[in-house]
Amino acid sequence: FVHKILSRGIRTGKVLDIGTGSGLLALELCKAKNTDFDIVAIDVSENMLMKAEENARQVKQGDRIKFLEANGAALPFPDNSFDLVISYASLHHWLDPVVVFNEAERVVKDTGRIIIRDNIRVYQDPFWKSVVWIASRFMNKRHRENWPHAIMASYTIPETREILQRSRLRNYQVGRDFVMIDVYVESPGA
């Protein structure tokens, strides 16, 4: 996902990470070479934020990311605050994704970009169900148990498009990434 961001020529600016979880995406963005990001990473889980702060301290990036307990459906930031709004593997957790997309659109600058990536529900296809099962064999026990559930909770491409049509986000792309089992939503930026 960091490669996707950097391949768009995005190397500086104020970044909002919605649903940061353990903070790994924000940390990878901080560690990317020739970048200068000011990152705010939010999550609704105090426990996940504590883990994210611990992870940041371990890799000596704690001063480069501000972790906040906040909900993507009610972002505590003024309009046009961020150059980039990102989220990885949290869309399927959003109680009202239309509201979160509207909030992301509100806080991103007119010249900014929104890039959201999540699992895609592929279990209705027996081939992909087998691929997911095989891939999960290479994961640790917690991920092996949780990933299939996350995929079942995720959206299909048509469902994602329908959600976006109900939002204020315009000029977006929806597609597949990572061996066709990730969906991405991207606004064009400047």
Side-chain angles (χ1 to χ4, degrees):
F1 189 36
V2 170
H3 173 72
K4 180 185 257 316
I5 293 166
L6 299 177
S7 72
R8 302 300 189 265
I10 303 168
R11 298 205 167 267
T12 64
K14 191 166 182 184
V15 178
L16 174 63
D17 179 10
I18 299 174
T20 195
S22 61
L24 297 182
L25 174 58
L27 290 169
E28 289 303 312
L29 207 52
C30 275
K31 294 189 305 186
K33 293 183 192 251
N34 302 314
T35 62
D36 184 24
F37 294 113
D38 176 16
I39 301 175
V40 177
I42 68 164
D43 204 285
V44 296
S45 169
E46 184 179 348
N47 287 339
M48 291 307 295
L49 289 168
M50 289 184 340
K51 179 65 175 164
E53 289 170 343
E54 178 186 324
N55 288 339
R57 277 192 303 276
Q58 286 178 358
V59 295
K60 299 184 180 16
Q61 298 292 326
D63 60 334
R64 297 196 55 206
I65 305 170
K66 181 177 183 179
F67 294 102
L68 291 175
E69 187 174 346
N71 190 319
L75 295 173
F77 309 106
D79 297 358
N80 304 307
S81 296
F82 294 93
D83 299 293
L84 176 64
V85 176
I86 58 175
S87 181
Y88 182 72
S90 73
L91 170 61
H92 65 277
H93 291 290
W94 301 348
L95 296 179
D96 190 342
V98 171
V99 172
V100 180
F101 279 117
N102 288 344
E103 281 291 277
E105 190 274 335
R106 180 183 67 77
V107 300
V108 75
K109 295 177 182 176
D110 291 339
T111 56
R113 192 178 290 241
I114 299 169
I115 305 176
I116 309 294
R117 187 171 177 180
D118 199 1
N119 300 305
I120 188 169
R121 193 171 66 241
V122 293
Y123 260 29
Q124 61 271 27
D125 181 322
F127 170 76
W128 285 112
K129 187 174 183 176
S130 299
V131 169
V132 168
W133 184 86
I134 291 168
S136 72
R137 301 300 99 190
F138 296 97
M139 298 175 178
N140 67 42
K141 184 178 188 295
R142 187 176 68 83
H143 282 101
R144 185 172 48 253
E145 292 169 353
N146 291 330
W147 192 47
H149 299 292
I151 289 174
M152 289 302 292
S154 298
Y155 297 100
T156 63
I157 296 261
E159 289 169 340
T160 304
R161 285 193 176 115
E162 191 275 327
I163 290 166
L164 288 163
Q165 287 171 355
R166 292 186 290 127
S167 79
R168 290 191 299 263
L169 191 61
R170 296 291 171 253
N171 300 319
Y172 55 83
Q173 298 175 18
V174 177
R176 290 180 171 207
D177 271 345
F178 188 65
V179 198
M180 308 297 276
I181 57 173
D182 275 7
V183 62
Y184 71 85
V185 175
E186 183 173 354
S187 69

